[in-house]
Amino acid sequence: MTAPDRPRFGPGPARLLVDGRDVAALAVADTRASRNRGLLGTSAVDGALWITKCPTVHMVGMRYPIDVAVLDRRGRVLKVATLRPWTGMTWPRLRASVTVEAAAGSMEAWQVRRGSVLEVG
């Protein structure tokens, strides 16, 4: 299966809220299988993916860059980064609990910054 033949991920049934603003469709990965799968095997992401119990992510096996926001248990953003395929990763952070993944450029467009509060709506 070539990259264009790979399915797009999303959009999910929930909504991503940034500081109370509704910004995108959101899928929630809250089972071991859905957390392990994440965006692997997809060609792009529509909206965002909220991954519970996920303090760090890697890009091994990914074919496109993504933006990530690492959150604490209250949804406060600890780190925002753009990760490249195969080489990118986030390092474990004290208090990290959730990772939100989206298309590269999304976090800036949604005005997600360190200290922002993200929620599932």
Side-chain angles (χ1 to χ4, degrees), residues 30-102:
D30 56 1
T31 65
R32 180 183 294 264
S34 63
R35 287 191 301 266
N36 287 342
R37 182 176 51 254
L39 298 175
L40 287 175
T42 64
S43 64
V45 56
D46 294 326
L49 175 63
W50 180 287
I51 309 172
T52 64
K53 300 179 187 174
C54 181
T56 182
V57 296
H58 64 80
M59 294 293 287
V60 174
M62 289 292 292
R63 296 180 177 264
Y64 56 95
I66 62 171
D67 280 356
V68 297
V70 179
L71 316 178
D72 66 14
R73 288 189 178 136
R74 295 175 297 156
R76 187 159 309 276
V77 176
L78 303 172
K79 167 106 177 147
V80 177
T82 299
L83 304 180
R84 290 185 282 196
W86 287 96
T87 59
M89 71 177 294
T90 58
W91 293 97
R93 301 181 80 76
L94 188 62
R95 300 185 337 260
S97 178
V98 170
T99 298
V100 177
E101 299 179 339

Side-chain angles (χ1 to χ4, degrees), residues 14-38:
R15 300 297 298 174
L16 177 64
L17 305 178
V18 176
D19 295 326
R21 292 178 292 111
D22 183 337
V23 298
L26 180 70
V28 178
D30 56 1
T31 65
R32 180 183 294 264
S34 63
R35 287 191 301 266
N36 287 342
R37 182 176 51 254

